[in-house]
Amino acid sequence: MRLSPAPLRLSRSPVLLALALPLAAALAFSDETLDKVPKSEGYCSRILRVQGTRREGYTEFSLRVEGDPDFYKPGTSYRVTLSAAPPSYFRGFTLIALKENREGDKEEDHAGTFQIIDEEETQFMSNCPVAVTESTPRRRTRIQVFWIAPPAGTGCVILKASIVQKRIIYFQDEGSLTKKLCEQDSTFDGVTDKPILDCCACGTAKYRLTFYGNWSEKTHPKDYPRRANHWSAIIGGSHSKNYVLWEYGGYASEGVKQVAELGSPVKMEEEIRQQSDEVLTVIKAKAQWPAWQPLNVRAAPSAEFSVDRTRHLMSFLTMMGPSPDWNVGLSAEDLCTKECGWVQKVVQDLIPWDAGTDSGVTYESPNKPTIPQEKIRPLTSLDHPQSPFYDPEGGSITQVARVVIERIARKGEQCNIVPDNVDDIVADLAPEEKDEDDTPETCIYSNWSPWSACSSSTCDKGKRMRQRMLKAQLDLSVPCPDTQDFQPCMGPGCSDEDGSTCTMSEWITWSPCSISCGTGMRSRERYVKQFPEDGSVCTLPTEETEKCTVNEECSPSSCLMTEWGEWDECSATCGMGMKKRHRMVKMSPADGSMCKAETSQAEKCMMPECHTIPCLLSPWSEWSDCSVTCGKGMRTRQRMLKSLAELGDCNEELEQVEKCMLPECPIDCELTEWSQWSECNKSCGKGHMIRTRMIQMEPQFGGAPCPETVQRKRCRVRKCLRNPSIQKLRWREARESRRSEQLREESDGEQFPGCRMRPWTAWSECTKLCGGGIQERYMTVKKRFKSSQFTSCKDKKEIRACNVHPC
């Protein structure tokens, strides 16, 4: 059999993924065993048949697939890790993928393909290209490769390992390096591991959902948002299998998107209620600010809901805030058992999932809509290096929340095949409790005030009221509910059930007072909306009267007044304020005098307690570009104040500045000024003289290069004489003259006006060996005369050309 190194096209049948022995190690430790294998068999099958020391129940070494899944999705990449627990180690390994119950001696026996992560650690085997082995034999404690699952229809996969330590250790099928994965049914494509069956339970059941948020800086320290961390209001419902709130592999609805991005449950609740035939109970629970607090400080949010045979599934979600579009929740949790009963308790740890509507990768990433929209999927530890859940080793994400669903009552005839050991059958199920904080996440309120006294002091039905204050509306497009809440009530000692068999309407408004001056009578009425079913007479009153006083004084000097109007709203939104009411003069006094009756009244009013308004801030923007194009500069980022300015001052900083460093700026070459021209290099005829300048700074970081540092120009002193003897005589005279002058200078120095100079120094060495260099000499001041009026007595310098011959 000849194996091609290219990725294999695999047939659809069960798969075995095995770690077997590397060839070199196998030959070194078990040559005799290999010799017994027929030479005609393929090499891949030979390494699988190599036998070493069999070890069962061995736990020093382990094989792990990222996420610890029980199912694999065809065509999906999985990170496979082989590791040894310290102080153990291994020297070699081989990774090979085989279909279940196959020997590996045929090309179609192999399934899936591998991808190398680190070429220094792993490589494909030359004689078995479908297998992965070590690059060099050495001590190691871990290796990682990617395995791409085979196509649909392949079946189950068994991951199995053998390693080389000091000797060959070959693990049995039930050893610690064995992992079984089965192909996920494409019908459900990541939504659920099994189909939802019809429910055979009888009656109804009532449950309580309790949400425990475990997301905190202690459990998830990377980039944890200290200020704005929270869980949004929980929204969900109990429903039939014909309705899906959300699911893995599906697309988020507009309601799910608003929960995921804004934390607002309003649209989601609207979508659920539109499916009234498929939904039994809408599940709602309050938000949590901050995301985590001890249970002795704040009780975990909870909600009650009911299920029946048709609507036996439960789904909910809540946003992890701040985040791009991350949530936690349950999708289509079935509370009906196959024994035709109702589940007693569900405890589920939750990891976050991505709604597929925003492409941000951190908690406070700016809005970045995902276009086109992607499918809902669970977050993993390998999504992005900047993700707060990133783990280069591909470990599982630490759970961020736990939900407990506990059965609290059942109603009606039950038909359990297996008897239920909890006696919680009741005559009637109480209505689900309404959560007190049923508000969008974008509306920030104060706490509710205590309930007012009932408006009725008798057994007639009245109303009581409570109030709260709207502190901030973060999103003007999302309406905020009323700040007042009303509830029916009765006077002390009365029961809501009194006269329950006789349903009455609300009282009609009081009639005007029977007289316009003094004390009279007024009345109001109501009517029977529903008579008792047993045909008895309704004994509740349909009319009542009471005394009324319009004008206490009825003398000619008194004036007639209207009744007092309703009280105005309190002048304060929180704490102590004032409220007023008014009335008008109906008739002035008969004697023509001024009306002395008051037309307005004022009294104190108490509103809910004032609370400190928190600073509601937007996430930080991205850092600006550096203020410079090279070298050191500054950059800034900003955030905005979301809470209303009139609600209080916010001292949090809205702008941050930090230093930034870009590649160094180019530095051009720097030179000195040109020196003076040197003496002509010839005493007669045509010659040249030069001048130079020095480099002070070499060019750096791509700066302009240095220009020329030496210049020369022609010079002509006088014509040279044609008679060589006369020329030589003049040279000799000139040389003797210079020598005598030098001796004179050495004796007592040269005399200048106002000072005596030291003799000239010797000429310095030539700066170049050829091509024209320069020499320098100096004369310094030896003594300045006090009586001298000259100020030009300075040190002197001479320069001349040297080595002017070509190089």
PDB file of all heavy atoms in Angstrom, residues 559-576:
ATOM      1  N   CYS A 559     -68.815  84.507  51.253  1.00  0.00           N
ATOM      2  CA  CYS A 559     -68.845  84.254  49.812  1.00  0.00           C
ATOM      3  C   CYS A 559     -69.005  82.760  49.556  1.00  0.00           C
ATOM      4  O   CYS A 559     -68.599  81.939  50.380  1.00  0.00           O
ATOM      5  CB  CYS A 559     -67.595  84.790  49.135  1.00  0.00           C
ATOM      6  SG  CYS A 559     -66.055  84.303  49.937  1.00  0.00           S
ATOM      7  N   LEU A 560     -69.566  82.423  48.420  1.00  0.00           N
ATOM      8  CA  LEU A 560     -69.755  81.026  48.057  1.00  0.00           C
ATOM      9  C   LEU A 560     -68.536  80.540  47.264  1.00  0.00           C
ATOM     10  O   LEU A 560     -68.103  81.185  46.297  1.00  0.00           O
ATOM     11  CB  LEU A 560     -71.018  80.873  47.218  1.00  0.00           C
ATOM     12  CG  LEU A 560     -72.338  81.241  47.915  1.00  0.00           C
ATOM     13  CD1 LEU A 560     -73.510  81.016  46.983  1.00  0.00           C
ATOM     14  CD2 LEU A 560     -72.513  80.463  49.206  1.00  0.00           C
ATOM     15  N   MET A 561     -68.008  79.376  47.675  1.00  0.00           N
ATOM     16  CA  MET A 561     -66.782  78.824  47.072  1.00  0.00           C
ATOM     17  C   MET A 561     -67.083  77.475  46.413  1.00  0.00           C
ATOM     18  O   MET A 561     -68.007  76.754  46.810  1.00  0.00           O
ATOM     19  CB  MET A 561     -65.691  78.630  48.131  1.00  0.00           C
ATOM     20  CG  MET A 561     -65.419  79.847  48.982  1.00  0.00           C
ATOM     21  SD  MET A 561     -64.734  81.231  48.038  1.00  0.00           S
ATOM     22  CE  MET A 561     -63.132  80.571  47.594  1.00  0.00           C
ATOM     23  N   THR A 562     -66.292  77.130  45.418  1.00  0.00           N
ATOM     24  CA  THR A 562     -66.367  75.777  44.844  1.00  0.00           C
ATOM     25  C   THR A 562     -65.703  74.792  45.797  1.00  0.00           C
ATOM     26  O   THR A 562     -65.052  75.189  46.774  1.00  0.00           O
ATOM     27  CB  THR A 562     -65.626  75.721  43.500  1.00  0.00           C
ATOM     28  OG1 THR A 562     -64.237  76.011  43.710  1.00  0.00           O
ATOM     29  CG2 THR A 562     -66.214  76.709  42.513  1.00  0.00           C
ATOM     30  N   GLU A 563     -65.856  73.509  45.535  1.00  0.00           N
ATOM     31  CA  GLU A 563     -65.154  72.500  46.336  1.00  0.00           C
ATOM     32  C   GLU A 563     -63.663  72.537  45.990  1.00  0.00           C
ATOM     33  O   GLU A 563     -63.250  72.999  44.939  1.00  0.00           O
ATOM     34  CB  GLU A 563     -65.735  71.113  46.053  1.00  0.00           C
ATOM     35  CG  GLU A 563     -67.171  70.938  46.512  1.00  0.00           C
ATOM     36  CD  GLU A 563     -67.636  69.508  46.369  1.00  0.00           C
ATOM     37  OE1 GLU A 563     -66.881  68.611  46.779  1.00  0.00           O
ATOM     38  OE2 GLU A 563     -68.743  69.292  45.849  1.00  0.00           O
ATOM     39  N   TRP A 564     -62.872  72.032  46.921  1.00  0.00           N
ATOM     40  CA  TRP A 564     -61.429  71.995  46.703  1.00  0.00           C
ATOM     41  C   TRP A 564     -61.094  71.062  45.550  1.00  0.00           C
ATOM     42  O   TRP A 564     -61.677  69.993  45.406  1.00  0.00           O
ATOM     43  CB  TRP A 564     -60.696  71.523  47.956  1.00  0.00           C
ATOM     44  CG  TRP A 564     -60.655  72.532  49.063  1.00  0.00           C
ATOM     45  CD1 TRP A 564     -61.375  72.528  50.206  1.00  0.00           C
ATOM     46  CD2 TRP A 564     -59.841  73.702  49.102  1.00  0.00           C
ATOM     47  NE1 TRP A 564     -61.086  73.615  50.994  1.00  0.00           N
ATOM     48  CE2 TRP A 564     -60.135  74.362  50.323  1.00  0.00           C
ATOM     49  CE3 TRP A 564     -58.911  74.293  48.230  1.00  0.00           C
ATOM     50  CZ2 TRP A 564     -59.528  75.558  50.704  1.00  0.00           C
ATOM     51  CZ3 TRP A 564     -58.304  75.474  48.615  1.00  0.00           C
ATOM     52  CH2 TRP A 564     -58.599  76.100  49.828  1.00  0.00           C
ATOM     53  N   GLY A 565     -60.143  71.481  44.732  1.00  0.00           N
ATOM     54  CA  GLY A 565     -59.671  70.626  43.646  1.00  0.00           C
ATOM     55  C   GLY A 565     -58.687  69.570  44.153  1.00  0.00           C
ATOM     56  O   GLY A 565     -58.368  69.507  45.350  1.00  0.00           O
ATOM     57  N   GLU A 566     -58.202  68.741  43.248  1.00  0.00           N
ATOM     58  CA  GLU A 566     -57.220  67.721  43.611  1.00  0.00           C
ATOM     59  C   GLU A 566     -55.880  68.378  43.958  1.00  0.00           C
ATOM     60  O   GLU A 566     -55.560  69.464  43.492  1.00  0.00           O
ATOM     61  CB  GLU A 566     -57.014  66.737  42.448  1.00  0.00           C
ATOM     62  CG  GLU A 566     -58.240  65.927  42.091  1.00  0.00           C
ATOM     63  CD  GLU A 566     -58.643  64.970  43.194  1.00  0.00           C
ATOM     64  OE1 GLU A 566     -57.750  64.503  43.931  1.00  0.00           O
ATOM     65  OE2 GLU A 566     -59.855  64.689  43.329  1.00  0.00           O
ATOM     66  N   TRP A 567     -55.116  67.682  44.786  1.00  0.00           N
ATOM     67  CA  TRP A 567     -53.788  68.184  45.152  1.00  0.00           C
ATOM     68  C   TRP A 567     -52.862  68.137  43.932  1.00  0.00           C
ATOM     69  O   TRP A 567     -52.896  67.203  43.143  1.00  0.00           O
ATOM     70  CB  TRP A 567     -53.186  67.347  46.274  1.00  0.00           C
ATOM     71  CG  TRP A 567     -53.822  67.566  47.623  1.00  0.00           C
ATOM     72  CD1 TRP A 567     -54.716  66.761  48.241  1.00  0.00           C
ATOM     73  CD2 TRP A 567     -53.591  68.661  48.497  1.00  0.00           C
ATOM     74  NE1 TRP A 567     -55.081  67.280  49.460  1.00  0.00           N
ATOM     75  CE2 TRP A 567     -54.397  68.453  49.654  1.00  0.00           C
ATOM     76  CE3 TRP A 567     -52.795  69.815  48.441  1.00  0.00           C
ATOM     77  CZ2 TRP A 567     -54.427  69.341  50.717  1.00  0.00           C
ATOM     78  CZ3 TRP A 567     -52.818  70.703  49.513  1.00  0.00           C
ATOM     79  CH2 TRP A 567     -53.622  70.462  50.637  1.00  0.00           C
ATOM     80  N   ASP A 568     -52.032  69.177  43.778  1.00  0.00           N
ATOM     81  CA  ASP A 568     -51.010  69.173  42.730  1.00  0.00           C
ATOM     82  C   ASP A 568     -49.936  68.138  43.055  1.00  0.00           C
ATOM     83  O   ASP A 568     -49.865  67.615  44.175  1.00  0.00           O
ATOM     84  CB  ASP A 568     -50.356  70.564  42.611  1.00  0.00           C
ATOM     85  CG  ASP A 568     -51.356  71.616  42.144  1.00  0.00           C
ATOM     86  OD1 ASP A 568     -52.378  71.236  41.546  1.00  0.00           O
ATOM     87  OD2 ASP A 568     -51.097  72.814  42.402  1.00  0.00           O
ATOM     88  N   GLU A 569     -49.097  67.874  42.057  1.00  0.00           N
ATOM     89  CA  GLU A 569     -47.971  66.976  42.310  1.00  0.00           C
ATOM     90  C   GLU A 569     -47.010  67.601  43.312  1.00  0.00           C
ATOM     91  O   GLU A 569     -46.900  68.823  43.418  1.00  0.00           O
ATOM     92  CB  GLU A 569     -47.213  66.680  41.009  1.00  0.00           C
ATOM     93  CG  GLU A 569     -47.996  65.829  40.022  1.00  0.00           C
ATOM     94  CD  GLU A 569     -47.158  65.463  38.822  1.00  0.00           C
ATOM     95  OE1 GLU A 569     -45.967  65.873  38.783  1.00  0.00           O
ATOM     96  OE2 GLU A 569     -47.674  64.777  37.922  1.00  0.00           O
ATOM     97  N   CYS A 570     -46.304  66.729  44.041  1.00  0.00           N
ATOM     98  CA  CYS A 570     -45.347  67.203  45.042  1.00  0.00           C
ATOM     99  C   CYS A 570     -44.238  67.983  44.334  1.00  0.00           C
ATOM    100  O   CYS A 570     -43.803  67.642  43.225  1.00  0.00           O
ATOM    101  CB  CYS A 570     -44.770  66.017  45.808  1.00  0.00           C
ATOM    102  SG  CYS A 570     -43.826  66.478  47.271  1.00  0.00           S
ATOM    103  N   SER A 571     -43.768  69.044  44.976  1.00  0.00           N
ATOM    104  CA  SER A 571     -42.735  69.889  44.356  1.00  0.00           C
ATOM    105  C   SER A 571     -41.381  69.205  44.294  1.00  0.00           C
ATOM    106  O   SER A 571     -40.494  69.644  43.565  1.00  0.00           O
ATOM    107  CB  SER A 571     -42.613  71.208  45.141  1.00  0.00           C
ATOM    108  OG  SER A 571     -42.221  70.941  46.492  1.00  0.00           O
ATOM    109  N   ALA A 572     -41.190  68.143  45.067  1.00  0.00           N
ATOM    110  CA  ALA A 572     -39.912  67.429  45.093  1.00  0.00           C
ATOM    111  C   ALA A 572     -40.086  66.059  44.448  1.00  0.00           C
ATOM    112  O   ALA A 572     -41.146  65.446  44.535  1.00  0.00           O
ATOM    113  CB  ALA A 572     -39.395  67.281  46.517  1.00  0.00           C
ATOM    114  N   THR A 573     -39.038  65.586  43.785  1.00  0.00           N
ATOM    115  CA  THR A 573     -39.072  64.239  43.218  1.00  0.00           C
ATOM    116  C   THR A 573     -38.571  63.202  44.205  1.00  0.00           C
ATOM    117  O   THR A 573     -38.777  62.003  44.014  1.00  0.00           O
ATOM    118  CB  THR A 573     -38.208  64.182  41.951  1.00  0.00           C
ATOM    119  OG1 THR A 573     -36.876  64.617  42.258  1.00  0.00           O
ATOM    120  CG2 THR A 573     -38.796  65.070  40.866  1.00  0.00           C
ATOM    121  N   CYS A 574     -37.870  63.655  45.246  1.00  0.00           N
ATOM    122  CA  CYS A 574     -37.438  62.755  46.310  1.00  0.00           C
ATOM    123  C   CYS A 574     -37.308  63.574  47.594  1.00  0.00           C
ATOM    124  O   CYS A 574     -37.108  64.786  47.559  1.00  0.00           O
ATOM    125  CB  CYS A 574     -36.111  62.070  45.958  1.00  0.00           C
ATOM    126  SG  CYS A 574     -34.684  63.178  45.826  1.00  0.00           S
ATOM    127  N   GLY A 575     -37.511  62.912  48.726  1.00  0.00           N
ATOM    128  CA  GLY A 575     -37.421  63.604  50.006  1.00  0.00           C
ATOM    129  C   GLY A 575     -38.653  64.459  50.283  1.00  0.00           C
ATOM    130  O   GLY A 575     -39.755  64.198  49.808  1.00  0.00           O
ATOM    131  N   MET A 576     -38.476  65.540  51.093  1.00  0.00           N
ATOM    132  CA  MET A 576     -39.568  66.399  51.533  1.00  0.00           C
ATOM    133  C   MET A 576     -39.855  67.480  50.499  1.00  0.00           C
ATOM    134  O   MET A 576     -38.950  68.089  49.943  1.00  0.00           O
ATOM    135  CB  MET A 576     -39.209  67.049  52.878  1.00  0.00           C
ATOM    136  CG  MET A 576     -40.303  67.946  53.445  1.00  0.00           C
ATOM    137  SD  MET A 576     -41.721  67.005  54.021  1.00  0.00           S
ATOM    138  CE  MET A 576     -40.979  66.223  55.491  1.00  0.00           C
TER     139      MET A 576
END
